[in-house]
């Protein structure tokens, strides 16, 4: 998988770090909002931090699945996919994982499924 595998791992690492940072912030805010001095006060948006926590937990689970797919296909791809010229190419499963990061820098259009 080569270049695609390296790029995908970098994206997974970056998104995981971003998600963990957001989760930590959501947890910090949630704890702050539970302070007794804030009880009974109207705080706009306070309820959404639990939702943010859950979205982060879900995203981390999705990233773990994506990482496992990449690990199972790199360095040796069990799918053994080839193009019309019989050159080894990434299988559709890996290309679908990459598609989740298509808006990030470094994504190459040649990785897009036809």
């Amino acid at each position: 998988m080569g270049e695609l595998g390296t790029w995908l791992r970098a994206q997974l690492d970056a998104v995981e770090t971003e998600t963990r940072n957001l989760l930590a912030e959501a947890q910090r805010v949630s704890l702050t909002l539970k302070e007794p001095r804030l009880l009974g006060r109207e705080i706009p948006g306070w309820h959404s931090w639990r939702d943010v926590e859950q979205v982060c937990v879900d995203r981390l689970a999705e990233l773990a699945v994506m990482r496992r797919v990449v690990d199972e296909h790199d360095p040796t791809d069990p799918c053994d996919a080839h193009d019309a010229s019989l050159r080894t190419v990434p299988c559709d499963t890996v290309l679908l994982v990459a598609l989740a990061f298509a808006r990030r820098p470094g994504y190459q259009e040649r990785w897009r499924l036809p």
Side-chain angles (χ1 to χ4, degrees):
M1 200 166 30
E3 180 184 13
L4 176 57
T6 301
W7 181 83
L8 266 174
R9 283 193 173 83
Q11 303 318 301
L12 289 165
D13 291 344
V15 173
E16 182 176 349
T17 298
E18 294 164 7
T19 304
R20 288 189 185 284
N21 290 341
L22 181 57
L23 178 59
E25 179 66 11
Q27 291 170 336
R28 186 191 66 72
V29 170
S30 291
L31 282 174
T32 299
L33 293 173
K34 291 177 183 174
E35 289 184 17
R37 63 186 174 83
L38 297 176
L39 288 177
R41 292 196 177 173
E42 190 68 31
I43 302 172
W46 69 269
H47 59 280
S48 64
W49 285 102
R50 278 195 166 150
D51 295 337
V52 172
E53 283 183 72
Q54 189 57 55
V55 167
C56 289
V57 168
D58 292 346
R59 183 61 172 159
L60 289 171
E62 292 167 359
L63 292 169
V65 169
M66 290 178 181
R67 190 177 299 278
R68 185 159 179 190
V69 168
V70 172
D71 289 345
E72 288 185 7
H73 287 80
D74 191 42
T76 304
D77 188 346
C79 299
D80 196 27
H82 294 83
D83 64 11
S85 301
L86 298 178
R87 290 179 299 202
T88 300
V89 296
C91 75
D92 289 355
T93 305
V94 173
L95 295 175
L96 286 170
V97 171
L99 190 58
F101 303 102
R103 293 180 18 190
R104 297 182 69 90
Y107 181 82
Q108 298 181 23
E109 284 302 314
R110 64 185 170 98
W111 296 335
R112 192 172 299 276
L113 284 169

